[in-house]
Amino acid sequence: MAKVLMKGNEAIAEASIRAGGLYYFGYPITPQNEVAEYLSRRMPEVGGTFLQVESEVAVSNMLYGAAGAGVRCWTTSSSPGISLMMEALSYIAAAELPCVIVNIMRTGPGLGGILPSQGDYRQAVKGGGHGDYRSIVYAPASLQEAVELMPLAFDRADRYRTPVLVLGDGMIGQMMEPVEFREHEFPPLPPKDWATDGCKGRKPNVVNSLYLDPVKEEELNRKLVAKYEEIARKEMKSDEYGTDKPYRVLLVAYGTTARICRTAIARLAEEGIGVALFRPITLFPFPAARLKELSRPAEFLLSVEMSTGQMVEDIELAVRCRKPVHFYGRQGGLVPTPEEVVDEVKRLLAGAKGGAA
Amino acid sequence: MQAEVVFAGFGGQGVMLAGKLLAETGMVLGKEVVWLPSYGPEMRGGTANCTVIVGDEPIASPIVRNPRDVAVMNRPSLDKFCPLMRPVGVAVVNKSLITVDPDRDDITVVNVPANQIAIEAGTGRAANMVMLGAYVGATDIVPFEALVEQVKHQFVKKAKLIPVNVKCLEEGYRLGQKKRA
Amino acid sequence: MKTIFKRPEALADFPTHYCPGCTHGITHRLIAEALDELGLRERAVGIAPVGCSVLAFNYFNFDFQQAAHGRAPALATGIKRGRPDLIAFAYQGDGDLASIGMAEIIHAANRGEKFTVIFINNAIYGMTGGQMAPTTMPGQVTTTSPFGRNVEDVGYPFRMCELLASLRTPAFIERVAVHRPKYIVKARKAIVKAFRYQAENRCFGFVECLSTCPTNWGMTPHKALDWLEENMLPYYPLRNFKDPETDENPEPAQGGGDAS
């Protein structure tokens, strides 16, 4: 299939339809409105369901209902809307239901602004809702990667019966790049024999997250932990740039920030400064083992984010604090420029020479 | 090679579409492209801009602080973006609405009375096509014929708009080429 | 030997945790009888709320989902939009539906979602121990209105049927009571009707069941039945508010914008 130039939000919408995500519930919020606008026209063409509803609270609970009935459902929103979904997300994780939630992040806290941000890293990666649960979190850095990750997200949601989050920033939602929709093949999925789709010929199914018996509740918690451990073993994804050449500094960044780092690395290379990039594609599970390996030759690591440094603690954990981990970020919708990253690397290198890490 | 151009103007002047058509033309030719808009309240009648990057290699940062080129359709856009340009870049300036000149001697300025040309061609709304044509004329960033094809494709459902838009592209292109020569 | 009474197939053989004299059991049975009568058990998905009936999934013999507090209509929307062939119903109490879930119920009703809501109004929060509900009667003493519900302070109780009936879309709305056999017969008819309309893919159905809570009302079961009759019936009139079969002209079109 030929490439088409699409806005990120529309590309995500189309990729999801092609992945069989035919049930979409949503509520308007900038900067991801193009998803719903696109789907409101497109879903009728493909026999899918598009519904604009009263709130993100309702959206996420509709996902619970629809996922519980066994259909592939999903939504998109942006930071404040995602916060409203945290209640249902916890229930969805506990009831082991599959669904995909895309967060085109905007700035915060509070109502924040509508410009790009990566301020929801912790909310996505550490849980977000109440209780002991995790979600698989994918972070695309380009629109092509976003359209590749959507089918994977749906597959993994079904395979592990877990919510999957896709974290993009406002730029991923708003920019246009050429995308190509390829066919994706996955191994067969287990049947959804747990779904509440009518009890004809079988015992009733119950989709539930209530466990008044502490022993049963602990069993659920342990079952979930075992699932997250399996996900951590099998599902880590990362990318790297410049690690095939000698490097003194390892940048760590995800999403569009990682692209900014690549430009910075090219500029620094022109000046003879070897810098490499590690880009987590899954933020949970965090690809710690590979990062640890790559950190060895580096004098220090630098996390570049559109937040106040939410990923730093995961990087420090990954390298077991054996290397200094610095942070450079912009907030409020200001995007770090390659020039800023170049300057920060040089500043830190100069400081390191002086003996201070 | 990588070129970045910011198309900027008032909301409604069609700068987003001009940028998109350039990006699409690049894509059809097999180049790497990115189109990044300003968005939000900025879009509602205020100033609007988009950055288009066209290159031979995969594009790293979609954010460009110092674009090589600009195409500015109003005064606030000229004031905002011309100072950011890299030396030797091309600035296409809509002289119908901008009375001043960029305060730089290290760039190539292409003066285009875009609104006037568009009105003479049949509709003032196609001033963005004059700007786009002039930009391609001055830079040859994509072959002009490919651009014309893309514009025809864009208006395929409103075919009666094709002649006036192509006419505006051609007028702009001619002015851009003249500057090159 | 002739069987004159048996457990409906749609009701599970499982002892409930409800208090003595609680009317949940009656309403559960009416739902089960309705689904059996209409042959819908194998397509049914119930939704349990947060409240005393949070464990309802144990008491019925068909598929169930358990919802977050107030969100049952959103779950039901997801189920029906995903699988329109299923028969979904939300079973919700007054705190669940008329307080925390007010937005969800109104919007589901207004969209005309093709599911059924069984609304249990017993004028109090039962599971959490007798706090004031949005439907608690004026002057009624609860653990959070120890001097009686002061309408000057917290307003009058919501009449949910009347509220929903003010919307144009929802087509079947009825208030019934389950505290006396003569009312239960009517309640059964209303519940059957609501499920039948859903099975016919006709309309959103809402049946409010005035119910008792002897434990939290602090009364004997018998006294509670009388209290409902004396205090709730005058404020919550029992009647059909909307029925697509009897409403000849459900509501005239307003203005000229929707002449189609």
Side-chain angles (χ1 to χ4, degrees):
Chain A
M1 210 200 123
K3 286 186 176 177
V4 276
L5 188 71
M6 285 182 102
K7 248 193 179 187
N9 285 329
E10 295 183 343
I12 285 168
E14 183 61 30
S16 298
I17 285 177
R18 287 164 190 255
L22 293 180
Y23 298 87
Y24 177 92
F25 305 89
Y27 187 83
I29 184 169
T30 306
Q32 57 80 55
N33 292 314
E34 292 85 355
V35 179
E37 288 165 1
Y38 185 88
L39 291 172
S40 65
R41 296 188 305 272
R42 189 83 170 95
M43 280 298 197
E45 291 173 8
V46 295
T49 291
F50 163 81
L51 194 61
Q52 178 179 327
V53 300
E54 63 268 28
S55 69
E56 290 90 349
V57 173
V59 164
S60 51
N61 282 284
M62 286 172 192
L63 294 182
Y64 181 106
V71 302
R72 251 188 188 181
C73 56
W74 67 293
T75 191
T76 57
S77 188
S78 182
S79 310
I82 297 289
S83 289
L84 282 175
M85 296 185 188
M86 284 299 137
E87 172 194 64
L89 192 64
S90 169
Y91 281 69
I92 287 167
E96 298 194 85
L97 297 175
C99 71
V100 176
I101 297 174
V102 180
N103 181 1
I104 301 297
M105 290 180 280
R106 56 188 259 179
T107 63
L111 192 52
I114 58 170
L115 294 172
S117 164
Q118 295 178 321
D120 304 341
Y121 176 92
R122 281 202 199 101
Q123 181 193 52
V125 169
K126 311 288 177 180
H130 61 281
D132 253 319
Y133 81 93
R134 311 296 289 257
S135 312
I136 298 176
V137 184
Y138 292 112
S142 69
L143 301 199
Q144 185 60 42
E145 186 169 60
V147 306
E148 308 276 337
L149 286 176
M150 290 311 293
L152 184 67
F154 280 105
D155 179 81
R156 295 306 191 258
D158 277 345
R159 201 166 292 282
Y160 293 104
R161 292 181 57 186
T162 189
V164 175
L165 304 184
V166 177
L167 269 195
D169 53 66
M171 272 183 289
I172 288 285
Q174 292 295 322
M175 71 181 175
M176 284 205 250
E177 285 189 305
V179 293
E180 188 177 2
F181 297 100
R182 304 188 186 114
E183 291 291 320
H184 291 264
E185 293 213 358
F186 298 101
L189 288 164
K192 294 185 175 180
D193 52 10
W194 43 264
T196 59
D197 53 0
C199 64
K200 194 174 167 112
R202 61 160 170 77
K203 284 189 174 167
N205 283 336
V206 175
V207 168
N208 176 38
S209 69
L210 175 72
Y211 293 87
L212 293 173
D213 177 350
V215 175
K216 293 231 167 86
E217 176 76 308
E218 188 180 53
E219 274 171 22
L220 171 75
N221 274 276
R222 290 186 173 168
K223 185 181 173 199
L224 292 177
V225 166
K227 170 156 76 180
Y228 303 142
E229 284 169 356
E230 185 188 351
I231 288 169
R233 277 198 309 279
K234 296 181 179 168
E235 302 300 336
M236 282 178 190
K237 277 173 84 75
S238 63
D239 189 20
E240 46 203 72
Y241 177 73
T243 49
D244 51 344
K245 294 182 211 110
Y247 54 91
R248 295 175 62 191
V249 180
L250 183 64
L251 304 181
V252 185
Y254 69 94
T256 41
T257 318
R259 297 172 61 155
I260 291 156
C261 289
R262 279 182 43 184
T263 300
I265 288 169
R267 304 252 167 95
L268 286 159
E270 286 166 16
E271 299 181 38
I273 303 170
V275 178
L277 169 71
F278 179 74
R279 178 170 74 89
I281 297 172
T282 51
L283 301 180
F284 177 82
F286 192 76
R290 184 63 185 150
L291 175 55
K292 192 177 168 204
E293 246 174 84
L294 292 176
S295 70
R296 279 194 194 111
E299 289 168 34
F300 60 84
L301 289 78
L302 175 64
S303 181
V304 182
E305 302 175 50
M306 286 186 274
S307 80
T308 53
Q310 297 188 20
M311 189 168 62
V312 168
E313 64 198 35
D314 284 336
I315 300 169
E316 286 178 335
L317 269 176
V319 301
R320 297 284 190 269
C321 294
R322 283 181 190 143
K323 287 284 160 75
V325 179
H326 298 284
F327 167 69
Y328 182 77
R330 296 300 300 266
Q331 301 87 34
L334 297 169
V335 180
T337 60
E339 294 79 8
E340 288 169 18
V341 178
V342 166
D343 290 348
E344 183 65 9
V345 168
K346 287 194 201 162
R347 194 184 71 77
L348 288 166
L349 279 171
K353 258 180 214 155
Chain B
M1 188 281 297
Q2 179 170 305
E4 311 90 22
V5 53
V6 174
F7 284 87
F10 290 124
Q13 282 185 309
V15 293
M16 298 301 199
L17 177 62
K20 177 176 166 254
L21 287 165
L22 177 63
E24 273 177 339
T25 307
M27 177 186 74
V28 169
L29 296 166
K31 291 177 181 292
E32 300 287 342
V33 297
V34 167
W35 175 94
L36 183 71
S38 60
Y39 65 84
E42 289 179 288
M43 289 157 59
R44 311 282 176 250
T47 61
N49 73 78
C50 65
T51 304
V52 176
I53 308 175
V54 180
D56 297 321
E57 301 292 320
I59 292 156
S61 173
I63 297 279
V64 179
R65 186 164 65 181
N66 302 111
R68 192 186 77 178
D69 308 324
V70 302
V72 288
M73 293 190 73
N74 64 2
R75 174 73 192 271
S77 299
L78 177 129
D79 291 344
K80 184 171 176 184
F81 292 107
C82 283
L84 296 177
M85 290 172 65
R86 298 207 301 272
V88 311
V90 170
V92 181
V93 178
N94 179 13
K95 284 311 242 187
S96 296
L97 296 181
I98 303 171
T99 50
V100 298
D101 294 315
D103 186 20
R104 287 182 65 158
D105 53 13
D106 57 346
I107 58 172
T108 304
V109 177
V110 183
N111 288 318
V112 181
N115 293 66
Q116 199 182 318
I117 291 173
I119 289 165
E120 279 164 16
T123 170
R125 295 189 60 185
N128 58 338
M129 294 296 143
V130 181
M131 298 292 289
L132 177 58
Y135 176 68
V136 171
T139 59
D140 279 336
I141 185 169
V142 292
F144 185 63
E145 298 69 31
L147 179 67
V148 171
E149 281 312 302
Q150 204 54 44
V151 170
K152 285 180 180 168
H153 181 71
Q154 172 71 30
F155 291 104
V156 73
K157 284 179 186 156
K158 298 175 192 164
K160 66 177 187 340
L161 294 178
I162 291 175
V164 64
N165 278 284
V166 171
K167 171 91 169 126
C168 286
L169 274 183
E170 284 168 351
E171 291 292 328
Y173 183 74
R174 198 173 48 73
L175 290 173
Q177 286 276 295
K178 200 187 277 177
K179 192 74 191 182
R180 247 178 118 74
Chain C
M1 197 167 64
K2 193 177 164 217
T3 304
I4 56 166
F5 188 83
K6 68 179 175 73
R7 178 186 307 283
E9 195 184 1
L11 211 54
D13 186 2
F14 197 99
T16 73
H17 70 292
Y18 298 122
C19 302
C22 169
T23 48
H24 269 308
I26 294 167
T27 311
H28 283 18
R29 183 177 177 97
L30 295 181
I31 291 167
E33 286 181 0
L35 292 171
D36 281 359
E37 181 180 322
L38 298 166
L40 299 175
R41 186 187 73 88
E42 293 180 333
R43 290 160 59 198
V45 185
I47 298 155
V50 170
C52 283
S53 44
V54 68
L55 293 167
F57 53 81
N58 285 326
Y59 308 145
F60 289 97
N61 181 26
F62 48 81
D63 286 359
F64 242 85
Q65 295 194 8
Q66 201 290 314
H69 200 19
R71 316 296 177 223
L75 267 65
T77 300
I79 293 167
K80 287 294 283 192
R81 295 279 177 160
R83 292 288 306 267
D85 54 314
L86 298 176
I87 300 295
F89 71 92
Y91 189 98
Q92 298 182 263
D94 42 49
D96 193 84
L97 181 137
S99 188
I100 196 167
M102 188 61 113
E104 284 76 14
I105 187 60
I106 287 185
H107 282 271
N110 195 53
R111 285 191 301 267
E113 295 292 342
K114 307 289 193 297
F115 63 76
T116 305
V117 177
I118 308 296
F119 170 42
I120 308 301
N121 178 2
N122 60 7
I124 205 155
Y125 279 77
M127 187 178 73
T128 46
Q131 293 82 12
M132 185 180 69
T135 55
T136 288
M137 300 304 297
Q140 187 182 340
V141 171
T142 71
T143 60
T144 51
S145 56
F147 312 110
R149 177 180 186 136
N150 177 2
V151 297
E152 294 298 318
D153 189 33
V154 298
Y156 283 87
F158 280 103
R159 292 183 175 112
M160 286 307 300
C161 283
E162 286 84 343
L163 190 67
L164 295 178
S166 75
L167 302 172
R168 184 168 168 182
T169 322
F172 182 72
I173 298 174
E174 186 156 329
R175 183 182 289 121
V176 300
V178 292
H179 67 298
R180 300 257 195 271
K182 65 169 179 175
Y183 296 116
I184 294 171
V185 172
K186 282 191 175 171
R188 187 180 189 283
K189 281 187 184 148
I191 290 172
V192 169
K193 219 178 218 183
F195 278 114
R196 179 163 63 79
Y197 289 149
Q198 182 184 167
E200 291 166 1
N201 202 31
R202 272 173 89 162
C203 63
F204 174 83
F206 185 87
V207 182
E208 173 174 347
C209 304
L210 299 184
S211 306
T212 64
C213 182
T215 301
N216 288 301
W217 290 358
M219 298 172 195
T220 63
H222 185 266
K223 183 85 197 319
L225 301 175
D226 292 342
W227 192 89
L228 188 160
E229 178 99 14
E230 287 158 20
N231 293 279
M232 292 179 73
L233 289 193
Y235 189 84
Y236 297 116
L238 301 184
R239 69 178 186 92
N240 176 272
F241 293 85
K242 283 185 154 194
D243 187 329
E245 282 185 348
T246 53
D247 297 352
E248 283 174 17
N249 188 5
E251 198 173 313
Q254 313 252 323
D258 50 1
S260 64

